[in-house]
Amino acid sequence: VADYNDDTKVKINDAMKMLIDIESGNVVKKIDNLTYYNQGYYYNYFCESPYTVYDNGCGVTSLAMIASTFVDSKYDPNEVASMLCSYGCSGCGSGGTPYKYLWDQEFLDEFGLTSKVLFFHQ
């Protein structure tokens, strides 16, 4: 993972490239076939709420990483947040969204994903 520029060496250039990408908002990198998104660069508002993906979007960011890795790379956190609003969720973040929406099978069908709830986080 530290070999950010994939030149088989871990050097200061890796840290510099990572900082440049973070600063520019280009923070998507495949690590062992996993798409990684840093939620701190996505500012879409959730529906009509005052919350953004940036400040309250850990769930949609996680779902975006899974959907981008296993389904289609077009799913970034903003796209998933928009889909969640279209699905009928009225708000997200800070308890505004019951996270059950993120593993609701009808919603996950939009991505072609399935889920089993292993635990519930309040």
Side-chain angles (χ1 to χ4, degrees):
V1 174
D3 180 19
Y4 192 77
N5 64 7
D6 298 320
D7 67 356
T8 71
K9 300 172 188 157
V10 177
K11 299 173 94 176
I12 190 67
N13 295 349
D14 295 293
M16 291 170 54
K17 172 74 171 131
M18 186 182 302
L19 290 172
I20 289 167
D21 284 355
I22 289 171
E23 185 66 28
S24 70
N26 179 23
V27 293
V28 177
K29 180 176 180 188
K30 292 264 186 180
I31 300 172
D32 295 329
N33 297 321
L34 172 70
T35 300
Y36 170 76
Y37 290 109
N38 180 332
Q39 107 183 39
Y41 290 91
Y42 294 89
Y43 293 95
N44 272 19
Y45 285 95
F46 288 111
C47 315
E48 302 299 318
S49 78
Y51 305 112
T52 65
V53 173
Y54 173 84
D55 52 16
N56 290 286
C58 58
V60 295
T61 301
S62 297
L63 181 55
M65 289 191 288
I66 292 166
S68 290
T69 299
F70 295 108
V71 181
D72 189 329
S73 61
K74 74 177 182 177
Y75 296 118
D76 66 28
N78 284 339
E79 175 68 20
V80 174
S82 294
M83 291 175 72
L84 190 60
C85 292
S86 297
Y87 182 69
C89 184
S90 61
C92 208
S94 290
T97 295
Y99 275 103
K100 68 178 183 145
Y101 281 113
L102 297 175
W103 60 69
D104 179 82
Q105 190 56 57
E106 187 178 337
F107 180 61
L108 292 176
D109 284 345
E110 298 289 322
F111 302 94
L113 296 171
T114 60
S115 175
K116 290 184 180 181
V117 176
L118 300 177
F119 65 92
F120 183 76
H121 173 69
Q122 290 281 14

